[in-house]
Amino acid sequence: MFENTHFPNAKKYWHMGRFVEWPTPITHPLSHALHYGTSVFEGIRAYPTDKGPAVFRLSEHIDRLMYSAGVAKMTVPYTKDQIIEAIKLTMRENALQSAYIRPLLYYSYGNPGLVPKFSPVELLIAVWEWGAYLGEKADKGVLAYIVPWRRIHHSQIDMRAKLGGLYVLSTISGLTAREKGCDEAVFLNLEGNVAEGPGENLLLVKKGVVKTNDRSESILEGITRTSILQIAQDLGLKTSVGPITKKDFFGADEAFFSGTAVETTPVVQVTDGSEAGKEAKVYTIGDGQVGSITKQLSAAFRDTVRGKTARYEKWLTYVRD
Ligand code: PMP
């Protein structure tokens, strides 16, 4: 039996068209994905609105899930519309007002070899209540640590896909950052520029301009990142997309992470541990406080996902029809 201690209010998950009680396992330990990381997944959030819970940018998330599945050469047993319906159904079944939603496609049980010839692709959807990803301190700003491990380069694998196996790097880097007394890791890319966090993008503010990078810097272009850039432009802020150097990061007036899990989380300090063997240097971002543009964008994002801004209601999918 499995407790749901770290998955608050999760009651049932959806697997291949039926609901399973949360404590009940359905996968064989010799399933392909468990051994080789052969899964693709999404992280999606639903928020309470005046019209009941709504999922933020569900269509874009399922497009990315399908794209990732294509990169992993999966034959997906459901259409995009069926997956969207299954997610809404799972939200209703668990009766959650806000949730983190995790669809996972994985090569299941069949054969032991690397090529999953006889391992069918299965779909799982789980929902639970997940608060601030980096803890309550996230509001005041977190401490970032640049790890010595570089982000996998976009010439090595298609980094637009969320491939389960790639996240072992994120886990190791997240653990490294915490070992060093910080809250979250940041990767450089092979060019030596700042890439992103283990599960989130990085945005900077310098002289009023909101800056981030793109896929040419070996990052996953997050749906949150893209939404924030749009919101910033609509608020009349200047934005710029291009490589971010370490100097840009250390000299930024403001910095924040963006992503479905972290939403917007300010970064107030960064430790450069990127050069193994050299002493790590600590830099304060701006004056070490959460900056005003970060606050403005975070508030606008919070309103957007809760259906309080009419122009972005198109980004919401209501759970109840
Ligand atoms: N980068 C990585 C590596 C991620 O895993 C995520 C989370 N999906 C992001 C960035 C942020 O993407 P999104 O805003 O779409 O959640």
Side-chain angles (χ1 to χ4, degrees):
M1 289 291 266
F2 295 91
E3 304 291 337
N4 69 352
T5 313
H6 299 285
F7 299 87
N9 293 322
K11 296 172 198 79
K12 291 179 189 178
Y13 59 89
W14 184 101
H15 175 248
M16 300 303 285
R18 67 189 181 105
F19 285 110
V20 183
E21 295 296 327
W22 190 265
T24 312
I26 40 89
T27 308
H28 195 279
L30 266 295
S31 288
H32 203 270
L34 189 58
H35 297 256
Y36 307 123
T38 44
S39 62
V40 301
F41 67 100
E42 269 306 311
I44 312 172
R45 274 192 192 266
Y47 294 89
T49 76
D50 291 343
K51 298 182 199 163
V55 186
F56 185 62
R57 306 206 79 166
L58 181 55
S59 175
E60 291 85 345
H61 278 286
I62 304 308
D63 283 342
R64 189 168 67 187
L65 181 71
M66 293 306 213
Y67 182 83
S68 301
V71 172
K73 305 195 185 301
M74 291 176 167
T75 304
V76 182
Y78 297 97
T79 63
K80 174 181 174 181
D81 285 348
Q82 287 171 329
I83 297 176
I84 286 177
E85 277 316 305
I87 286 176
K88 287 162 71 176
L89 202 64
T90 310
M91 281 295 295
R92 292 201 292 262
E93 185 74 16
N94 285 271
L96 296 181
Q97 290 305 305
S98 68
Y100 183 87
I101 303 168
R102 166 58 53 81
L104 176 82
L105 282 161
Y106 61 102
Y107 284 107
S108 178
Y109 177 73
N111 65 301
L114 284 172
V115 177
K117 260 195 272 181
F118 304 102
S119 304
V121 173
E122 294 181 10
L123 173 64
L124 180 87
I125 299 165
V127 300
W128 65 93
E129 274 177 6
W130 206 358
Y133 178 75
L134 292 176
E136 294 314 317
K137 152 177 191 200
D139 274 355
K140 293 201 182 69
V142 297
L143 314 182
Y145 185 86
I146 305 182
V147 291
W149 318 111
R150 303 286 176 103
R151 195 90 190 108
I152 294 186
H153 197 256
H154 60 72
S155 62
Q156 295 173 292
I157 194 87
D158 187 338
M159 294 298 284
R160 283 171 293 178
K162 275 179 78 74
L163 305 170
L166 286 187
Y167 279 80
V168 70
L169 279 127
S170 291
T171 298
I172 292 169
S173 298
L175 288 169
T176 302
R178 284 155 184 83
E179 256 171 32
K180 302 290 182 186
C182 295
D183 303 302
E184 188 56 304
V186 168
F187 290 109
L188 300 184
N189 58 22
L190 280 188
E191 287 85 3
N193 292 326
V194 177
E196 62 180 337
E200 55 278 285
N201 294 117
L202 183 70
L203 291 91
L204 306 180
V205 180
K206 184 73 182 177
K207 295 196 168 83
V209 180
V210 181
K211 176 162 189 182
T212 193
N213 48 13
D214 66 8
R215 66 182 68 156
S216 63
E217 292 293 294
S218 303
I219 63 147
L220 182 86
E221 280 174 13
I223 292 167
T224 318
R225 160 204 172 278
T226 306
S227 309
I228 299 271
L229 283 176
Q230 181 69 56
I231 292 169
Q233 285 161 12
D234 293 343
L235 286 170
L237 295 167
K238 282 209 182 78
T239 60
S240 127
V241 175
I244 298 175
T245 63
K246 283 207 278 185
K247 214 169 141 208
D248 292 334
F249 191 9
F250 305 151
D253 298 329
E254 303 178 27
F256 61 98
F257 286 126
S258 84
T260 298
V262 294
E263 303 172 289
T264 56
T265 297
V267 178
V268 291
Q269 185 183 290
V270 53
T271 301
D272 183 8
S274 64
E275 290 180 55
K278 269 202 185 168
E279 203 185 322
K281 266 186 137 179
V282 181
Y283 300 85
T284 301
I285 305 293
D287 61 3
Q289 306 292 317
V290 180
S292 59
I293 292 182
T294 302
K295 278 187 191 158
Q296 186 188 7
L297 289 173
S298 300
F301 182 73
R302 226 180 352 255
D303 284 349
T304 298
V305 296
R306 285 170 179 73
K308 296 203 184 329
T309 315
R311 83 194 297 175
Y312 306 125
E313 209 190 344
K314 60 181 186 222
W315 289 343
L316 304 183
T317 300
Y318 294 100
V319 166
R320 291 190 222 121
D321 289 323

